[in-house]
Every structure is written in structure tokens, then in C-alpha cells.
Amino acid sequence: MKILFAGGGTAGHINPALAVASYIRNRDPETEILFVGNKGGMEETLVPKAGFDMETIHISGFKRSFSPSAIAANVKTAVRAVTASSESKKIIKKFKPDICMGTGGYVSGPVLRTAAKMGIPIVIHEQNAFPGMTTKMLSKHAKKVMLAIEDAKKHLDPQCKTVVTGNPIREEILTADKETSRKKLHLDLRPVILSFGGSLGARKINEGVASLIAQSGKTGEYQHIHAYGKYGKWFPDLLREKGIEPDNCSNLDIREYIDNMPDCLAACDLVICRAGAITLSEIQAMGKPAILIPSPNVAENHQYYNALALVNAGAAEMVEEKDLDDTVIEKIAKRMLADKDILKKYGDNAKSMAITDANSRIYAVIKNIVKEH
């Protein structure tokens, strides 16, 4: 079997494809796998690092503005849309895939559209509760649209052939243990809060948790792991302005980036973060209560809908950026942590939403379609 994966632009599009591809490679080493990514995208680093072959095309997205620079960029995008289809056709002709799977991002569009025109079956995996534009446009041509959660179905055409598979989850997440992880991280029995805003950082999250962290630094009430991100190097100074020296507080772990997320997630009692699809799937798999602050700077405001699905299930609290101030996160976190029964209920509800066998479900869909074709 030959499988062509198309997706890129963000880790949220690339990592699900890599998780599925790795699962397939481990179970069926004879399967040939090729990735198509965007020239200059982060997939050029991530895909080869994972040990997969990759071809690239040139593609970009349209800007929603009428400024001279945006108009110029959109003209270039329109030209690239034509050339990307031609580039995709060459790659598909050469590789001769049995099936093409798209995981989102600009790259999925021309590759899957071209494959469908060439009579090759296509499938789409949609990570978010609110499907992206690429998914919506291609869904009518897909043999199957694989959804992370049932909620996404209502945003697609009723004629679409959908199946709920969940989001692929890293094996390390599924096997991490709370007690073992706490020992590794030198944490005691006090409640542990984990907060982060992504690898680059999120100013609003950094500002939103500063008072909570500073208060913990003074009282020692909570243990707190916080990642401020690449663009948040000013954050320790903000804590100093609030009256603490973070380096001298043994209950605080303040760093730029979390490179041991499975352990940090397993160890914590409460998560404060954005509402990216893969992050939420990992929170659900571990059964963690959360305070979600969806990014408003994403296509179709999809993080809001991701967070809303957990809120409606009684698995998380949500605060929109426009409602953040110095105290709102501190108040919600203290209220949640003060009641162990409520905290457990949030965690149990999150766990009940988890789909932990997404990789095998997706592989089964792929195999069945290839077999039928």
C-alpha cells in the first residue's frame, strides 16, 4: 500500500499526520509513505526528523485585507494555487499512491483536489470542533471525513461521509503516570498547576496567570509549572514587579518551554492553556480539569469551538481573552482547586470525552477504502 499525506503550516496539522504515519509504519513496514508539505514550512524539519520522505510545493493563504501589501500577497497566492496543482500532479504521478490523506493547512487543498481529479481516493482528518475551510471545500470529494469529535459534524454538509476517529495521541501521553511524574519533577503533595501558551508564548496568558503565580510564590499554597514561550522572556521580570523572585521560590518552575509535557501533564491537578485541538485531546486522555483561553487569532475562531465542546461537557472552564484581567484566572483556579469533588468531576468528564485509539481507527478507515477501491 502507498499512502500520500498532505498537511502543513502548523504543528497541529503536521503532528497528527506523523502520529498516524508512525503507527502504520510500526504495524506494516511494507507500506510506502510520502509526505507533501509547503516549501519553507516547519514540516521541512519535522517530517524528515521523524524519518519520512517528503516532497514540497509552493502554496500560501489569502489575506483578509485590502491593503496594498495584502493585495500583492493575494495575487501571488492566486498564481501559486495554479502552480501548486501542477506540482501536486507531478508528485502524485511519480509516487502513484493508493490513497491520499489530508490533515489540513494550505497544502492539503491542491494535493487532495488534484488526487481526486486523478481518480485517487482521498480522506480528510479534521482535528477541530469547527472544520477549517480546506476541509469544508474538499469534504464532498472525500471518501471519508474523519472527525475528532461528533460536534464537528453539524458544521459540514449532511451528504458528507463522516466518522468519528478522535485525534491521534502520542504514546507517551497515554502511558504517563501521575505519581511517577511527580517524583521525576520533585513535586510534593500540594496541588500542581500547569500553564502554557505554546512554544512562542501568549502574552494574554502570561499576564493572566502572573498574579496567581506571584501569590503562590508568596504563600507556597500551590506548586506551579509555567512556560512563557519564546516571546515571553519579560515574564520573570513581571513576577519580580509583583513582589517575588521566581528563582528563589522552590514551588515555582518558570521556564521558556516545556520539553517534557507528558510528565508535566500527568503530574498536574489543573491545566491553564489555549484550546488547540491536539492539546485538548491530550488533556482529555489524561482526564485533567482545565481553564481554557482560546486564541482569537485563528481561522474561523476554531479554538473557541474546541473549548466550547469541553465546557458543554462539564470538563473545563473557558475565559475569552476579552474578559481577562489580573484576577480572573486566579479566582477561577482557586475556586476549582478548593473543591476536590468538583475538580474530580471536571477530570472525569474530560476523560469520558477521550478517544485513545484514534491511530488504529484512522488506519482501519484507510485500509478499508483502499480495499474497496
Side-chain angles (χ1 to χ4, degrees):
M1 182 164 59
K2 289 186 172 186
I3 307 173
L4 186 71
F5 286 91
T10 69
H13 293 134
I14 304 159
N15 287 334
L18 287 173
V20 174
S22 297
Y23 178 90
I24 294 171
R25 179 173 59 186
N26 290 338
R27 276 145 191 83
D28 185 6
E30 298 299 311
T31 298
E32 293 182 50
I33 293 170
L34 178 67
F35 278 76
V36 179
N38 196 12
K39 186 71 178 171
M42 64 169 65
E43 53 268 35
E44 280 197 296
T45 301
L46 295 177
V47 172
K49 188 178 178 182
F52 293 102
D53 294 331
M54 189 179 79
E55 298 279 356
T56 59
I57 62 174
H58 292 78
I59 190 70
S60 52
F62 287 98
K63 298 186 181 297
R64 299 175 186 181
S65 167
F66 294 102
S67 68
S69 62
I71 291 169
N74 286 341
V75 170
K76 189 178 285 186
T77 293
V79 172
R80 282 180 174 172
V82 176
T83 58
S85 295
S86 175
E87 291 169 339
S88 299
K89 191 172 184 177
K90 285 179 184 175
I91 293 168
I92 292 166
K93 270 189 168 182
K94 183 180 175 184
F95 184 60
K96 297 183 177 66
D98 296 300
I99 191 167
C100 291
M101 176 173 163
T103 55
Y106 304 136
V107 140
S108 281
V111 176
L112 266 63
R113 195 163 46 243
T114 302
K117 284 180 181 176
M118 295 171 70
I120 295 162
I122 66 169
V123 293
I124 300 167
H125 183 268
E126 176 54 62
Q127 298 95 42
N128 295 296
F130 193 92
M133 192 61 69
T134 302
T135 296
K136 286 181 176 178
M137 287 191 301
L138 293 169
S139 58
K140 59 186 175 184
H141 303 294
K143 295 290 183 184
K144 219 65 156 186
V145 180
M146 298 176 283
L147 306 176
I149 58 173
E150 187 74 34
D151 270 21
K153 190 174 181 178
K154 65 190 178 190
H155 301 294
L156 292 171
D157 190 298
Q159 302 300 315
C160 290
K161 297 170 185 173
T162 61
V163 59
V164 177
T165 60
N167 277 324
I169 297 170
R170 293 176 286 171
E171 192 68 28
E172 313 92 272
I173 292 287
L174 298 174
T175 56
D177 171 73
K178 186 172 186 175
E179 193 175 329
T180 304
S181 294
R182 284 200 169 203
K183 283 178 183 174
K184 272 193 205 175
L185 298 169
H186 308 292
L187 297 166
D188 56 41
L189 295 175
R190 286 173 293 176
V192 177
I193 302 169
L194 170 65
S195 54
F196 54 93
S199 59
L200 298 180
R203 174 172 283 276
K204 290 288 188 179
I205 290 182
N206 284 335
E207 292 172 344
V209 300
S211 293
L212 174 62
I213 293 173
Q215 191 64 21
S216 286
K218 292 170 186 174
T219 66
E221 185 176 5
Y222 307 123
Q223 300 167 100
H224 202 130
I225 303 167
H226 177 70
Y228 50 75
K230 182 179 178 181
Y231 297 135
K233 291 177 181 168
W234 47 269
F235 183 73
D237 287 333
L238 176 61
L239 294 181
R240 293 181 186 105
E241 287 173 22
K242 291 183 177 289
I244 65 160
E245 175 49 64
D247 292 339
N248 295 338
C249 299
S250 61
N251 62 320
L252 303 183
D253 179 353
I254 310 300
R255 44 175 135 157
E256 180 180 327
Y257 182 71
I258 293 173
D259 56 7
N260 57 340
M261 186 61 82
D263 283 327
C264 291
L265 261 180
C268 78
D269 297 290
L270 177 65
V271 186
I272 303 168
C273 64
R274 289 297 198 197
I278 303 303
T279 296
L280 296 192
S281 292
E282 293 181 346
I283 287 172
Q284 289 164 1
M286 285 196 167
K288 297 296 177 178
I291 301 172
L292 303 175
I293 306 157
S295 171
N297 309 310
V298 293
E300 283 90 33
N301 200 23
H302 66 254
Q303 284 203 7
Y304 171 83
Y305 294 96
N306 290 347
L308 190 62
L310 272 78
V311 172
N312 288 342
E317 296 273 346
M318 174 169 61
V319 182
E320 292 187 69
E321 274 200 2
K322 61 183 176 61
D323 299 324
L324 279 176
D325 61 27
D326 282 351
T327 61
V328 66
I329 295 295
E330 184 178 1
K331 287 175 183 173
I332 296 172
K334 286 189 171 183
R335 170 170 55 78
M336 291 175 75
L337 289 165
D339 191 329
K340 288 186 178 178
D341 290 337
I342 292 294
L343 207 63
K344 183 178 184 304
K345 189 175 180 181
Y346 277 107
D348 289 346
N349 289 340
K351 188 80 172 176
S352 71
M353 299 177 74
I355 296 175
T356 56
D357 62 344
N359 286 330
S360 62
R361 293 189 188 196
I362 292 167
Y363 186 32
V365 169
I366 289 171
K367 281 200 300 184
N368 287 337
I369 289 172
V370 171
K371 188 178 178 182
E372 289 168 6
H373 191 72

